[in-house]
């Protein structure tokens, strides 16, 4: 007989908004305890945090999970300029500062992987 351990269900997902360093408002989905190990999920071009909506509930409940809508995507602001990979990376790093996240695992897919790489270069 095989015994499987059932993980605790993930906490419900919530939504909030934060202003980046240059005042651009970034919308994000989040779940988990504010003092838990942080993981930040970055979506691809023309996508949004919604792409992680089916993944987030499957992650361990002790993780602080944050999935921002990068500027110009989802419910985030759409300024006239500032869409370089470095601009997105700066937004995420500003968000981490505002939310008191000193370190995080950064996960990106598609364009989000380039943003994750830029974050690692700026703040290894």
């Amino acid at each position: 007989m095989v015994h499987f351990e059932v993980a605790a269900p993930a906490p419900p997902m919530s939504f909030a908004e934060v202003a980046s360093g240059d005042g651009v408002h970034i919308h994000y989905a989040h779940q988990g305890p504010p003092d838990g190990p942080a993981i930040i999920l970055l979506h691809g071009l023309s996508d949004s945090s919604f792409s992680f909506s089916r993944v987030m509930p499957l992650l361990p409940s002790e993780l602080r999970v944050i999935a921002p809508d990068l500027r110009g995507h989802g419910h985030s602001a759409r300024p006239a300029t500032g869409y370089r990979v470095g601009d997105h990376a700066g937004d995420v790093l500003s968000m981490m500062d505002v939310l008191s996240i000193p370190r995080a695992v950064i996960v990106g897919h598609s364009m989000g992987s380039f943003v994750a790489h830029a974050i690692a270069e700026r703040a290894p």
Side-chain angles (χ1 to χ4, degrees), residues 33-103:
D35 60 346
I39 181 168
I40 298 175
L41 307 173
L42 303 176
H43 63 78
L45 185 64
S46 78
D47 207 345
S48 70
S49 60
F50 182 75
S51 64
F52 296 107
S53 63
R54 295 184 67 178
V55 173
M56 288 176 68
L58 303 175
L59 295 173
S61 60
E62 64 271 6
L63 292 178
R64 180 181 189 182
V65 183
I66 297 169
D69 290 338
L70 298 173
R71 66 168 64 202
H73 296 79
H75 295 290
S76 287
R78 292 170 169 73
T81 61
Y83 292 95
R84 296 172 301 165
V85 169
D87 297 321
H88 292 301
D91 289 345
V92 174
L93 289 168
S94 290
M95 180 185 71
M96 290 174 67
D97 287 342
V98 170
L99 298 177
S100 299
I101 300 172
R103 57 187 302 161

